[in-house]
Amino acid sequence: MNAIRIAEGVYWVGAIDWNLRNFHGYETEKGSTYNAYLILDEKITLIDAVKEPFKEEMLSRISSVIDPAKIDVIVSNHAEPDHSGALPFMKSIAKNAKIYAAFGAGIKDLAAYYGDLGYIGVKAGETLSLGKRTLTFVPTPMVHWPDNMVSYMTPENILFSNDAFGQHYASDERLDTECDLPEAYIQARKYYANIVQPYGMQTGKALDALAGLKIDMICPSHGIIWTEHIPDILALYKSWVANEYDETAIIVYDTMWHSTEAMAHAIENAFLAAGLKPRLYNLHYCHNSDIVADAMTAKYIAVGSPTLNNNMMPSVASFLTYFKGLNGNKKKFIAFGSYGWGGQSPDQVSEGLKSPKCEALMPAIKLAYKPSDEQLKKIEADVLEALKNQ
Ligand code: FEO
């Protein structure tokens, strides 16, 4: 495997994980990459490592350019094992390499995973001369763990941004100018929604900290490298951080005998009549991580569940747990569901949506057994009226 030159003296030496389909609960249908970067200067420098099972792939890419034992500096921008798993292996080869990580959390987290490999903590604004080049370290805590930082390199103005601006997107193309760009944006959005969204406020602070920098290349730790489309990905991040809404409404449900599904379609009709763009997700077929990517910017969310053994269906509980954890922008919600007897699920759904601080558009909608056409028409009319009256 060969290193890929991305700038004079700068190489991508990461790994492509074509088969990754799950990243701690996030469905990664396009696989991923673990990006590592090699800088050839007076101090030979490796930025980040890769997931441990991919260490030989990284080593072979580094070896295509230099003797890996000659690496002087390893910068660990983030201790999560998808970027640090191969660190002990690299340290065993580059025995004299000094490992730099964020002062405090970075060192603490690396030590917890790998023991003492002799880490050097760096603080905000601290610099490291590599020879012709200089790295400046900028902490970006909680984008996505407390230890995250980014490294900015001059004179090329390259931002090694780690998780920020990443995408779970396996590709042999490395640059935004070479890849399937619409797919890269889809995956960047899904990545933000599932990984970065809970820390939108901290991401906003990180964007502020980077605002004064001239950036000619963004090298994230997953997916493609941003070059010509830097203004576009920065603008998208700003809109996501600002919790901007679009004119969509998402309807998430599970169904036993299609009654709750029929209610979902009645609500869909109401959203359509109100001029919104509804999107339907049957939890039997759709993954939580895809739904939350669309939910991120939606104005409304409707969640439906039949009552099963006095409870909402487990698939709906799973979605609500996942949705709550992402702490995204607040929406008006509709809880709904059919039942045979008992009928507890719509109120449970309603409680589940209140805890991520969403606000009920209207009382929960409940119907026994199979809804009649008249009942469905009434749901449609009631939802439309609630939308008009707010
Ligand atoms: Fe890609 Fe937070 O690790």
Side-chain angles (χ1 to χ4, degrees):
M1 300 255 182
N2 289 322
I4 297 172
R5 181 187 174 283
I6 56 171
E8 180 63 37
V10 185
Y11 294 84
W12 178 87
V13 291
I16 306 172
D17 190 347
W18 293 101
N19 298 325
L20 184 77
R21 289 295 178 270
N22 186 294
F23 186 89
H24 55 51
Y26 166 172
E27 191 171 74
T28 50
E29 72 279 5
K30 293 288 178 181
S32 194
T33 67
Y34 313 111
N35 296 341
Y37 301 94
L38 185 70
I39 302 155
L40 302 187
D41 207 319
E42 288 167 29
K43 285 181 184 157
I44 297 174
T45 300
L46 179 67
I47 306 278
D48 286 320
V50 295
K51 201 171 174 179
E52 198 275 342
F54 295 84
K55 62 190 179 191
E56 295 290 352
E57 180 174 341
M58 178 175 70
L59 185 67
S60 76
R61 293 189 193 277
I62 295 171
S63 302
S64 73
V65 183
I66 50 133
D67 174 359
K70 292 183 175 169
I71 291 173
D72 301 294
V73 169
I74 302 175
V75 175
S76 177
N77 279 324
H78 181 24
E80 190 163 12
D82 49 332
H83 310 297
S84 68
L87 203 54
F89 173 71
M90 285 311 301
K91 177 68 178 169
S92 74
I93 292 167
K95 294 188 188 319
N96 296 320
K98 292 184 170 135
I99 303 174
Y100 294 80
F103 181 82
I107 292 186
K108 179 170 135 301
D109 292 359
L110 288 174
Y113 276 107
Y114 310 114
D116 184 7
L117 297 178
Y119 311 110
I120 299 170
V122 289
K123 294 181 178 172
E126 214 167 298
T127 60
L128 176 67
S129 171
L130 307 181
K132 293 178 194 147
R133 302 173 177 86
T134 301
L135 287 177
T136 302
F137 303 107
V138 181
T140 52
M142 302 316 299
V143 189
H144 134 242
W145 279 12
D147 72 299
N148 275 79
M149 68 174 188
V150 301
S151 303
Y152 174 67
M153 187 170 78
T154 49
E156 290 92 345
N157 306 326
I158 298 178
L159 181 70
F160 298 101
S161 64
N162 200 267
D163 277 337
F165 312 113
Q167 331 95 49
H168 282 312
Y169 173 28
S171 154
D172 269 320
E173 298 81 43
R174 296 274 59 83
L175 304 182
D176 54 355
T177 49
E178 306 166 334
C179 74
D180 176 354
L181 192 59
E183 185 65 46
Y185 285 132
I186 289 168
Q187 295 304 330
R189 179 172 182 258
K190 184 172 177 182
Y191 190 92
Y192 182 93
N194 283 275
I195 300 278
V196 185
Q197 185 178 209
Y199 315 111
M201 192 179 68
Q202 293 90 338
T203 308
K205 286 183 183 164
L207 291 176
D208 290 344
L210 300 174
L213 302 177
K214 180 175 190 306
I215 299 173
D216 291 327
M217 184 179 281
I218 297 178
C219 295
S221 56
H222 297 289
I224 60 102
I225 293 164
W226 301 101
T227 59
E228 284 189 12
H229 299 281
I230 289 171
D232 305 313
I233 189 67
L234 284 174
L236 284 171
Y237 259 64
K238 279 180 190 161
S239 75
W240 296 331
V241 164
N243 288 326
E244 288 180 6
Y245 294 98
D246 56 27
E247 293 301 309
T248 59
I250 70 158
I251 303 167
V252 185
Y253 67 96
D254 204 340
T255 193
M256 289 167 64
W257 296 105
H258 303 292
S259 296
T260 300
E261 186 167 61
M263 298 169 76
H265 286 298
I267 294 168
E268 175 191 9
N269 288 341
F271 282 136
L272 277 171
L276 294 153
K277 294 177 181 170
R279 313 270 187 254
L280 271 79
Y281 306 86
N282 182 333
L283 286 162
H284 196 70
Y285 305 106
C286 303
H287 196 270
N288 288 342
S289 57
D290 287 311
I291 301 170
V292 298
D294 288 348
M296 183 166 69
T297 51
K299 266 189 185 163
Y300 300 95
I301 181 168
V303 178
S305 176
T307 298
L308 175 70
N309 301 329
N310 299 325
N311 275 295
M312 68 178 103
M313 289 185 79
S315 56
V316 180
S318 163
F319 171 75
L320 290 175
T321 300
Y322 196 76
F323 181 69
K324 176 184 174 186
L326 294 175
N327 191 30
N329 59 4
K330 311 310 175 200
K331 308 170 194 309
K332 295 275 179 73
F333 75 80
I334 302 169
F336 66 99
S338 70
Y339 64 99
W341 58 99
Q344 296 92 336
S345 61
D347 291 331
Q348 292 169 352
V349 167
S350 195
E351 284 308 307
L353 284 164
K354 278 177 194 163
S355 73
K357 297 193 176 64
C358 292
E359 186 187 334
L361 177 72
M362 58 193 294
I365 307 170
K366 309 174 189 179
L367 280 180
Y369 294 109
K370 187 179 187 310
S372 65
D373 288 346
E374 292 72 29
Q375 286 173 315
L376 292 174
K377 287 279 177 214
K378 180 162 178 9
I379 290 174
E380 189 177 327
D382 289 350
V383 172
L384 184 58
E385 188 177 338
L387 287 167
K388 283 179 178 166
N389 288 342
Q390 55 178 318

